[in-house]
Amino acid sequence: MEARMDVYKLAPGSMQAMMGLQNFVNSTGLDKTLSELIKIRASQINGCAFCLNMHTKDARKMGETEQRIYGLSAWHEAPYYTDKERAALALTEAVTLVSTSHVPDDVYNNALKVFTPEEVAHITLAIVMINAWNRIAITSRTQAV
């Protein structure tokens, strides 16, 4: 598979715009490990090799275990994720699959049981960002290195 384009060269200013929202998300205080789990799970669903490569490496550097990284696609059945992680992962799946899920009330309300409304907003923005990055990388066929 060959790269198709460098969207950031073809659309000057787009990287700066994307990084503006990403920097906001990074500044919210969202737990860094949780953030990486969100990025990995959304990237698994979307099939983004570039982002999976990047974020599994980042998660390992932060001390995330191989077991939890490998088990992420089956988190529903795995015993080693916290209630907060489960709520965030359920929201990640629902937002990533929004065209079919429409983010069910139970998923949203479960997130509100373990996170504040502000934290749910921050998590939602984190999910939106990784989905945007995935879509750019997949469409442009950005190569994993």
Side-chain angles (χ1 to χ4, degrees):
M1 184 171 73
E2 292 184 28
R4 288 180 171 159
M5 64 178 162
D6 184 338
V7 71
Y8 307 112
K9 285 184 182 175
L10 296 170
S14 62
M15 176 61 88
Q16 182 179 356
M18 290 284 292
M19 286 307 299
L21 185 52
Q22 185 65 62
N23 289 335
F24 172 79
V25 170
N26 294 347
S27 75
T28 64
L30 182 62
D31 178 81
K32 300 298 183 201
T33 300
L34 180 61
S35 179
E36 291 306 316
L37 293 177
I38 289 167
K39 291 172 186 175
I40 294 166
R41 185 64 192 123
S43 298
Q44 288 173 332
I45 293 167
N46 290 325
C48 185
F50 178 82
C51 293
L52 280 167
N53 185 57
M54 177 191 305
H55 295 297
T56 55
K57 287 178 183 177
D58 290 346
R60 284 183 191 95
K61 287 178 189 172
M62 292 178 188
E64 189 55 81
T65 66
E66 297 294 318
Q67 180 186 43
R68 284 169 40 93
I69 292 171
Y70 297 152
L72 200 51
S73 62
W75 67 267
H76 296 272
E77 299 176 23
Y80 33 80
Y81 300 100
T82 68
D83 289 343
K84 283 188 169 190
E85 290 167 339
R86 290 176 181 285
L89 292 169
L91 190 59
T92 299
E93 290 180 356
V95 173
T96 301
L97 299 169
V98 71
S99 69
T100 57
S101 79
H102 297 279
V103 188
D105 289 339
D106 65 318
V107 170
Y108 182 80
N109 290 331
N110 283 338
L112 285 174
K113 289 178 184 177
V114 294
F115 295 106
T116 67
E118 184 178 57
E119 289 171 324
V120 173
H122 295 159
I123 290 166
T124 301
L125 289 171
I127 297 164
V128 166
M129 283 308 304
I130 190 57
N131 274 281
W133 292 119
N134 285 171
R135 281 152 175 74
I136 292 169
I138 291 166
T139 302
S140 63
R141 293 193 176 155
T142 304
Q143 301 297 299
V145 289

